[in-house]
Amino acid sequence: MEKFVYSFNEGSKDMKSLLGGKGANLAEMTKIGLPVPFGFTVTTEACNKYYDDGEKLADTVVEQIFEKLDELEKVSNKKFGSKENPLLVSVRSGAVISMPGMMDTVLNLGLNDETVEGMAELTGNERFAQDSYRRFIQMFGDVVLEIPKSKFDKVFEAQKKASNCEFDIDLTTEDLKKIIVDYKKIIKEETGKDFIQEPKEQLMEAVKAVFRSWNNERAILYRKLNNIDSSLGTAVNVQSMVFGNMGDTSGTGVAFTRNPATGDNGVFGEFLVNAQGEDVVAGIRTPQPISEMEKIFPEVYKEFLRIAELLEDHFKDMQDIEFTVENEKLYMLQVRTGKRTAMAAVKLAVAMEKEGLIDKKTAISRIEPNQINQLLHPKFDEKELEKAEVLAKGLPASPGASMGKISFTAAEAEEAVAKGEKVILVRTETSPEDLAGMVAAEGILTARGGMTSHAAVVARGMGKCCIAGCSTIEVDEENKVLKVGNLVLNQNDFISLDGSTGTVYKGKIDTIKPELSGDFGTIMKWSDEIRTLKIRTNADNPRDTKTAVDFGAEGIGLCRTEHMFFEEERISTVRQMILADTKEEREKALEQILPYQKGDFKEIYKVMAGKPVTIRLLDPPLHEFLPHEGEEIKQLSKQINVPYEKLLSKVEELHEFNPMLGHRGCRLAITYPEIAVMQTKAIMTAAIELKKEEGMEITPEIMIPLVGMEKEIAFLKKVIIDTINECFEKEGVKLDYLIGTMIEIPRAALTADKIAKDAEFFSFGTNDLTQMAYGFSRDDSGRFIDDYKNKGIFEEDPFQTLDQEGVGKLVEMAVELGKKTRPNIKLGICGEHGGDPKTIEFCHKVGLDYVSCSPFRVPIARLAAAQAAVKAEEK
Ligand code: ADP
Ligand code: MG
Ligand code: MG
């Protein structure tokens, strides 16, 4: 019989896919002898079975749960449902990949009208028993019965007000009893049934609720944002309760073994006396820093530090720990690898290598390539900061600088961003419902909550600037005003946030480029030592080229020439070229464009200082350079002195039903070879002049776009070589050069052996290759790709991460065929995918020489390429 339930002493950290992250690590902590309340885990397979069976718990699963429950009763020496000595449990979800805040936990399960009396007697603490019961009914009502939480909150707040209590701990036993009566009324009203009194029934309902929560909206959104496979399923952990709400000798807390925001050494976290569960993160009372525990429970604190260190040594990484103190005894409730900012990730990786905890390969593998994006982005200009007016100070919850207009709700933020505005989401505190607004906003500011509040955790995960617990501001979401003392700001006002210091500034503040030395430099250096893929950049002007070189680019993989055509002074000459009736007229116009193009290439070559530069011949259809609207055409006709009718008829003549598959790429140059001639001249003479003037050796790589057949490239290669030889003769200087092609049409991939006869390099243009392999227009597919994702047809957008199965097969085939004809053929990728870590891993695997990506992604690509090399070695 298949085993669906494991006791904590039957598992280990290596069983995450079966037991979920939480369950596997609870088992691991049990195994190494840490104080973990005993319990068992219902596996992810049971969850998948639940869905396979049409959302029903199979009998075998139920039976196995009861068997383990018997065992738990024996071990804990308590009895489920017993009045004298009741066993209470928590029911906790735990997916394979931790999904913070996405799934809900039920605590104190097993309480009913009888056992609550028993708990009171047993502990001699009636208030505690009633407090636990009201918590249980509330959580059960919310999570299992799916009654809006606000209904319970309303009753709770009303009672607090009636009894004149500032905090929940001020409520008396009698108050709590009244609350319980009202809670039960809510449940009866909402479900038509009484609150379930039978503990076993409570347990089964809770287990099913956890399985259901795998497919709640928040969980689905989180999985979508983080590309988590929806077929993994969640496990359920059933664990005997320990109580942090037993009075002043108890408490609960969360901590990291090192600072997750900065990477600094020393435990970091928060703690709350006389509290249970998520009180710490819910911002109910402001928690104390973990270090204060030393004064309150010195012995417990010592033990806590010992365990924190032990866990870090054991897992060899920074850990995120949840714990509870019951009557001055410490219990561990959760451990997992701590989420961290990019800054902390880099610092921790370097520090742990220095400490000898991990090696360099592990160190570079610890950093999520996409995450270092935040380090590459601007910070506030110090000088601007001095002038800036400080509005308030809060907790530096997630570093970075951001600026925008105030939005008071997630929906507002989304709307404003859709209109192209930058916004800061300002809330009293955030909840999972705000997720979409947080994604849209530049930064997040909350009045309440600590370093581990929802806003802080989620923002750090997204690499978004966040200031939490900014208690001197008052957020009035209803009237849409933000008050700071006497100052009142509203929706149209700008504010700036420095998430690294927690400072809120009035107005807009300019930002500057980040510093890329120190630990970041070390990680880049190690990455460069480890990787074998070269990293190039896609750049078509000197500024982007410089940025990329500063970020470590080793060449240009794609220099597009069409952007140069659009510049102010040139576009009219370009238009004259397009409107020309004869070859002679066209050549005359091209003659005027030539010096501009040459100048552009020269500037770019200079920045690259001898590194390889691949320049692509003109690619887009010519109509893109002409206006399409009647008014604009009229204006242009006056401007360039061409009769309106003639202009209009040319625009109509160039109109294509499907320009993506139309007269573009090499097809243009086949019709008008003079365009290729002019561009070749510009490419070569720019290099020749630099050789003459500065002795700089440049090997231009001329790339022909959109080739699908051998004869296309053969035809153009001859035009290009003839032009080059003419240049050499005229200038009296020779240079090395390469002529190659993009592989972006499926036919080119299929006949790559023939194309390689003429092509000295292949550069995979995976944007077009994806478009044509799928038959998806890349300009229109955005409209339905989300539907594909929502319906589980796509895990990822194939325009962002290469589809290895299909498009990747074309790439592999072309690599193989190309090498057969030309063993030393140079191979690279220049589509958007070139900066995507998963695609980079694929490129390494299939043996490309380089990837080319946008300048800001160069460091990400360096790291990803190194990780790919490490992974390949491990296999
Ligand atoms: P999440 O996945 O949202 O972190 P958890 O399952 O970790 O949810 O539960 C949230 C909190 O509930 C824990 O951090 C802990 O404080 C409390 N909790 C869970 N199980 C127990 C237990 N057996 N005894 C005491 N507190 C518990
Ligand atoms: Mg939670
Ligand atoms: Mg937890």
Side-chain angles (χ1 to χ4, degrees):
M1 195 179 55
E2 199 180 344
K3 188 169 164 76
F4 286 109
V5 188
Y6 287 73
S7 290
F8 287 173
N9 58 7
E10 292 179 310
S12 77
K13 68 179 194 318
D14 305 317
M15 293 167 71
K16 288 204 172 67
S17 63
L18 189 63
L19 303 179
K22 197 180 286 169
N25 279 354
L26 282 166
E28 185 74 13
M29 287 199 288
T30 305
K31 197 168 99 181
I32 60 175
L34 297 184
V36 177
F38 198 59
F40 55 85
T41 304
V42 188
T43 64
T44 53
E45 276 170 11
C47 176
N48 289 331
K49 186 167 173 54
Y50 169 82
Y51 280 106
D52 290 346
D53 294 349
E55 311 207 5
K56 268 217 278 307
L57 267 188
D59 289 344
T60 61
V61 176
V62 176
E63 267 164 39
Q64 290 184 39
I65 290 175
F66 287 144
E67 268 167 37
K68 290 297 180 187
L69 193 62
D70 282 346
E71 187 186 335
L72 184 54
E73 287 178 335
K74 280 191 198 105
V75 171
S76 64
N77 214 2
K78 290 176 183 168
K79 243 186 142 44
F80 212 42
S82 138
K83 186 171 174 185
E84 290 69 41
N85 189 15
L87 169 66
L88 302 190
V89 296
S90 65
V91 176
R92 319 170 61 186
S93 62
V96 179
I97 296 163
S98 108
M99 298 172 51
M102 293 296 129
M103 312 268 226
D104 297 304
T105 298
V106 178
L107 302 178
N108 310 324
L109 188 141
L111 280 175
N112 58 26
D113 294 349
E114 278 191 359
T115 52
V116 70
E117 304 282 326
M119 278 303 281
E121 236 161 82
L122 198 71
T123 58
N125 187 342
E126 193 185 3
R127 187 195 178 281
F128 152 74
Q130 297 294 344
D131 181 51
S132 302
Y133 195 25
R134 71 92 189 160
R135 285 172 187 268
F136 171 48
I137 301 174
Q138 180 179 341
M139 283 185 266
F140 195 86
D142 165 25
V143 179
V144 181
L145 304 174
E146 296 174 42
I147 299 169
K149 214 170 167 173
S150 58
K151 302 222 172 201
F152 298 102
D153 288 347
K154 225 181 195 165
V155 165
F156 193 70
E157 290 306 319
Q159 188 61 51
K160 260 166 80 179
K161 206 160 183 196
S163 309
N164 235 333
C165 299
E166 190 184 347
F167 295 115
D168 52 351
I169 39 171
D170 303 329
L171 290 164
T172 64
T173 309
E174 289 316 306
D175 294 335
L176 292 167
K177 281 184 174 167
K178 277 189 217 150
I179 290 173
I180 290 168
V181 171
D182 287 345
Y183 276 4
K184 283 185 182 162
K185 266 192 213 144
I186 295 176
I187 285 175
K188 178 91 194 200
E189 270 167 30
E190 291 288 319
T191 64
K193 288 184 206 139
D194 287 322
F195 181 68
I196 301 172
Q197 291 288 318
E198 169 51 42
K200 283 191 174 169
E201 202 184 321
Q202 294 173 349
L203 179 62
M204 286 308 149
E205 288 307 310
V207 170
K208 282 190 275 184
V210 172
F211 285 162
R212 275 203 308 274
S213 78
W214 176 249
N215 275 336
N216 75 28
E217 257 173 56
R218 282 183 273 148
I220 290 171
L221 177 62
Y222 187 89
R223 287 202 292 270
K224 208 174 125 192
L225 284 174
N226 294 281
N227 280 325
I228 297 172
D229 187 350
S230 54
S231 71
L232 292 171
T234 181
V236 186
N237 300 290
V238 178
Q239 184 178 32
S240 54
M241 286 297 302
V242 286
F243 301 97
N245 56 335
M246 263 197 186
D248 291 339
T249 54
S250 304
T252 183
V254 293
F256 295 87
T257 55
R258 302 192 198 197
N259 189 317
T262 61
D264 287 342
N265 259 335
V267 292
F268 179 89
E270 283 162 334
F271 179 79
L272 207 55
V273 173
N274 193 9
Q276 189 177 48
E278 308 219 292
D279 291 2
V280 180
V281 284
I284 288 170
R285 281 175 275 150
T286 300
Q288 293 166 281
I290 196 96
S291 53
E292 307 242 325
M293 233 170 92
E294 187 167 18
K295 287 183 220 147
I296 313 169
F297 310 124
E299 283 309 308
V300 175
Y301 189 60
K302 234 194 270 164
E303 173 71 352
F304 173 74
L305 289 184
R306 184 186 74 82
I307 291 178
E309 202 182 316
L310 185 149
L311 283 171
E312 201 180 89
D313 269 1
H314 187 75
F315 289 98
K316 305 213 182 301
D317 200 354
M318 188 262 281
Q319 299 298 304
D320 172 351
I321 300 169
E322 295 176 10
F323 65 94
T324 280
V325 178
E326 178 185 302
N327 280 328
E328 303 202 9
K329 173 149 177 29
L330 176 68
Y331 292 95
M332 304 309 292
L333 294 176
Q334 191 172 336
V335 67
R336 63 183 161 205
T337 301
K339 288 212 188 309
R340 59 205 72 187
T341 61
M343 204 219 287
V346 168
K347 188 162 186 172
L348 287 171
V350 174
M352 287 183 180
E353 194 273 346
K354 298 253 148 81
E355 290 164 28
L357 208 59
I358 55 177
D359 62 11
K360 281 180 193 167
K361 286 179 183 166
T362 310
I364 62 119
S365 302
R366 282 285 167 78
I367 299 156
E368 167 60 45
N370 282 323
Q371 206 192 10
I372 60 172
N373 224 342
Q374 352 172 352
L375 297 179
L376 313 176
H377 286 286
K379 293 178 185 162
F380 286 136
D381 184 338
E382 292 292 333
K383 288 212 188 78
E384 290 279 320
L385 267 191
E386 277 168 29
K387 283 183 280 172
E389 184 182 332
V390 175
L391 273 185
K393 256 190 135 58
L395 300 172
S398 181
S402 65
M403 175 272 286
K405 271 189 189 175
I406 298 174
S407 273
F408 290 98
T409 65
E412 254 173 59
E414 279 186 278
E415 247 168 62
V417 170
K419 282 190 222 142
E421 289 178 354
K422 289 186 168 176
V423 305
I424 303 288
L425 182 64
V426 179
R427 311 264 307 148
T428 303
E429 57 194 316
T430 64
S431 68
E433 283 78 52
D434 294 325
L435 197 56
M438 296 172 79
V439 172
E442 295 288 311
I444 297 143
L445 170 64
T446 69
R448 263 193 252 152
M451 290 294 282
T452 48
S453 64
H454 178 263
V457 171
V458 173
R460 278 201 295 274
M462 295 194 287
K464 196 152 284 190
C465 161
C466 172
I467 298 176
C470 188
S471 53
T472 55
I473 64 167
E474 195 186 315
V475 186
D476 183 346
E477 278 125 352
E478 213 156 293
N479 295 308
K480 306 205 182 302
V481 288
L482 165 63
K483 288 188 209 156
V484 192
N486 292 327
L487 185 72
V488 179
L489 298 178
N490 62 45
Q491 267 172 310
N492 288 320
D493 290 315
F494 278 90
I495 54 171
S496 301
L497 308 183
D498 186 338
S500 314
T501 61
T503 318
V504 186
Y505 300 92
K506 203 175 152 185
K508 304 181 192 179
I509 305 176
D510 284 340
T511 51
I512 48 157
K513 273 191 172 178
E515 175 88 60
L516 296 174
S517 51
D519 288 337
F520 183 82
T522 306
I523 290 293
M524 285 295 118
K525 187 173 142 260
W526 291 347
S527 298
D528 292 346
E529 285 164 18
I530 293 165
R531 72 183 160 90
T532 53
L533 265 179
K534 295 256 183 240
I535 311 299
R536 294 198 189 186
T537 190
N538 297 351
D540 45 34
N541 61 58
R543 192 198 58 224
D544 288 358
T545 307
K546 173 83 172 66
T547 306
V549 169
D550 290 347
F551 278 142
E554 298 164 299
I556 290 183
L558 174 62
C559 176
R560 300 176 171 96
T561 49
E562 54 269 21
H563 294 166
M564 303 169 176
F565 279 31
F566 273 110
E567 268 174 44
E568 197 74 48
E569 319 110 60
R570 317 175 183 184
I571 184 76
S572 66
T573 328
V574 172
R575 286 168 171 166
Q576 276 163 16
M577 183 269 286
I578 295 170
L579 296 169
D581 289 322
T582 62
K583 189 174 176 203
E584 286 66 39
E585 269 182 55
R586 203 159 26 247
E587 279 175 338
K588 224 171 86 193
L590 284 165
E591 205 56 42
Q592 287 181 57
I593 303 171
L594 175 62
Y596 289 120
Q597 283 255 283
K598 191 180 71 187
D600 291 327
F601 296 143
K602 233 171 139 172
E603 289 308 309
I604 290 172
Y605 290 155
K606 272 190 202 164
V607 179
M608 293 313 288
K611 296 187 180 82
V613 178
T614 304
I615 298 170
R616 178 178 74 182
L617 300 182
L618 194 65
D619 183 52
L622 295 180
H623 76 86
E624 281 193 16
F625 299 98
L626 293 181
H628 297 103
E629 301 288 313
E631 249 334 284
E632 281 177 296
I633 298 175
K634 261 182 208 153
Q635 263 181 16
L636 181 68
S637 113
K638 275 188 214 137
Q639 209 184 333
I640 60 172
N641 219 355
V642 172
Y644 173 74
E645 270 65 40
K646 182 180 174 192
L647 200 54
L648 189 67
S649 85
K650 191 75 192 179
V651 170
E652 278 166 5
E653 183 193 317
L654 288 176
H655 172 267
E656 289 178 309
F657 287 104
N658 202 340
M660 271 290 187
L661 300 175
H663 198 197
R664 54 173 286 226
C666 67
R667 301 157 198 173
L668 275 178
I670 286 171
T671 312
Y672 310 115
E674 49 278 16
I675 299 179
V677 168
M678 181 280 286
Q679 292 200 298
T680 304
K681 276 188 195 162
I683 293 167
M684 295 312 292
T685 41
I688 291 172
E689 284 178 17
L690 276 177
K691 184 167 179 170
K692 284 186 183 166
E693 290 160 14
E694 308 190 13
M696 196 181 267
E697 282 293 340
I698 292 143
T699 306
E701 300 175 356
I702 299 176
M703 180 154 76
I704 304 167
L706 225 69
V707 165
M709 306 168 245
E710 185 194 357
K711 285 191 178 157
E712 287 171 327
I713 184 168
F715 174 87
L716 287 172
K717 196 175 176 186
K718 178 159 184 329
V719 172
I720 293 167
I721 291 179
D722 286 349
T723 308
I724 291 176
N725 288 334
E726 228 174 83
C727 288
F728 287 168
E729 214 156 286
K730 195 168 154 215
E731 303 285 339
V733 174
K734 281 191 178 182
L735 284 180
D736 288 338
Y737 61 87
L738 295 177
I739 298 173
T741 180
M742 287 183 77
I743 300 288
E744 51 189 337
I745 290 186
R747 194 181 189 284
L750 298 170
T751 59
D753 47 347
K754 299 214 168 113
I755 288 174
K757 284 191 209 154
D758 290 300
E760 291 165 300
F761 64 87
F762 285 168
S763 177
F764 291 95
T766 46
N767 298 346
D768 268 313
L769 193 59
T770 300
Q771 160 170 273
M772 290 189 234
Y774 274 103
F776 284 169
S777 152
R778 61 202 239 227
D779 294 332
D780 303 311
S781 59
R783 293 190 205 155
F784 57 82
I785 280 189
D786 258 0
D787 294 334
Y788 271 52
K789 278 179 151 183
N790 291 335
K791 300 197 168 144
I793 295 170
F794 276 153
E795 289 294 337
E796 280 152 329
D797 181 344
F799 288 102
Q800 279 169 17
T801 294
L802 189 81
D803 156 51
Q804 297 185 12
E805 192 182 30
V807 183
K809 191 180 258 174
L810 288 169
V811 173
E812 277 188 88
M813 187 184 287
V815 166
E816 204 178 296
L817 291 174
K819 280 190 172 165
K820 214 160 77 188
T821 305
R822 193 185 286 270
N824 63 347
I825 190 165
K826 216 176 200 183
L827 300 165
I829 177 174
C830 64
E832 281 311 301
H833 305 92
D836 169 68
K838 273 195 204 159
T839 309
I840 292 172
E841 193 185 333
F842 171 80
C843 293
H844 176 92
K845 221 171 53 195
V846 300
L848 299 196
D849 297 303
Y850 68 85
V851 299
S852 188
C853 56
S854 63
F856 267 96
R857 294 204 72 86
V858 166
I860 298 168
R862 286 161 77 189
L863 178 60
Q867 292 184 353
V870 172
K871 268 198 200 161
E873 217 173 83
E874 278 167 1
K875 271 177 197 152

